[in-house]
Amino acid sequence: MLRELDYKQAVATMSATLQELGVSLDIASKREQIQEYEQKINQQDFWDDNEKAQKVLQKSSDLKNIISEYEGLNSDLEEIEILIELGLEEEDESIENDIEKSIELLEDKIDKVKIKTLLDGKYDDNNAVLSINAGTGGLDAQDCAQIILRMYLRWADQNNFKVKTLDLISDPEAGIKSATLLVEGTNAYGYLKSEKGVHRIVRISPYNSSGKRQTSFVSVDVTPELDDNIEVEINPNDLKIDTYRSSGAGGQHVNKTDSAVRITHIPTGIVVQCQNERSQFANKDIAMKMLKGKLIQLKELENKERIEDIQGTYSQITWGSQIRSYVFQPYKLVKDHRTNAEIGNVDSVLDGNLNLFINEYLKMNKMKNK
């Protein structure tokens, strides 16, 4: 006999959750925003500024996707209700399997949307600039930095984010010394901000002839890419700008011109660099955006009113601030030291399956800020 009461209770719970989600997502407000964007799109001079037009189109599309996803959840719930009634009318117990699978699938979809409602930080919906640096430890640390880089590239691909390499310093023998990526897509920073800190890898080193276990450290920094409409005043006298020859891939043009740019913010010691673009001007523009993101983040962290008020060494990430360990030996385990979330399948995590850790961090952060 169909478990009518159990199914109807599950439907009632999901219905209540969807109503709460509708409030959290502020669906009505998003519909109004779409109408405002549509008015802009229909203006004759809309395409006069192509870059600005593309951003408006992207924002409108993002809002439409949110609404479509929410409406899809409600449609799925209605289908489950119909399926339950059908099973009762026909007294068909074979339909029970379909009902249970549908409920399980919808609960999973609702959980994923609930996670998105946790992304309510000021810059959470922005693109993210993610920097990876090998710690001390020579080739082994550099190899581990490359493993972490690959992990984020896999994660971005699996979650439909675009990635652009802004800077990459490889080592001719093995691994990378550092890499900086621009991860593009809605909520890229909101998700990746949880990855900021030191990542610890314990394994039998392929570079250790005696086959001993070795611990390597990789630091990850994440800042939001700021929109052009966010103004950040930086005193030009506080900047040291160096140009140098690009070392990455890019053919003869990269090797023959001093197109790479390194900018140092003297009061804080923040250093950013970019060598991906062909021209020095383009590299400088991207490097300045990276610097602004770091300064804004640091300004808010230290509760300063102005950028000029920030002094001292930029040291948000220290080698004691380990956020996660990836252990291959003597057992296999990935553990997040902030949330205590853990997975025994290390290879799966390094293949980009990071969402458990990201989601647990977002939930923990929300509880802290209540």
Side-chain angles (χ1 to χ4, degrees), residues 116-132:
K116 291 181 182 179
T117 66
L118 303 179
L119 302 172
D120 55 2
K122 191 173 181 180
Y123 304 111
D124 279 358
D125 62 348
N126 289 29
N127 296 334
V129 177
L130 185 145
S131 301
I132 299 166

Side-chain angles (χ1 to χ4, degrees), residues 236-269:
N237 295 327
D238 288 341
L239 301 180
K240 179 187 177 187
I241 301 176
D242 299 306
T243 58
Y244 58 98
R245 191 162 298 178
S246 299
S247 59
Q252 293 181 345
H253 180 87
V254 169
N255 294 327
K256 289 184 177 180
T257 63
D258 291 339
S259 59
V261 174
R262 181 186 299 111
I263 301 176
T264 303
H265 185 252
I266 298 169
T268 60

Side-chain angles (χ1 to χ4, degrees), residues 18 26 69 84 90 123 131 192 210 239 264 266 314 321 347:
L18 284 175
D26 199 358
E69 185 174 40
I84 292 170
E90 299 184 2
Y123 304 111
S131 301
L192 286 172
S210 59
L239 301 180
T264 303
I266 298 169
Y314 176 72
S321 58
D347 292 327

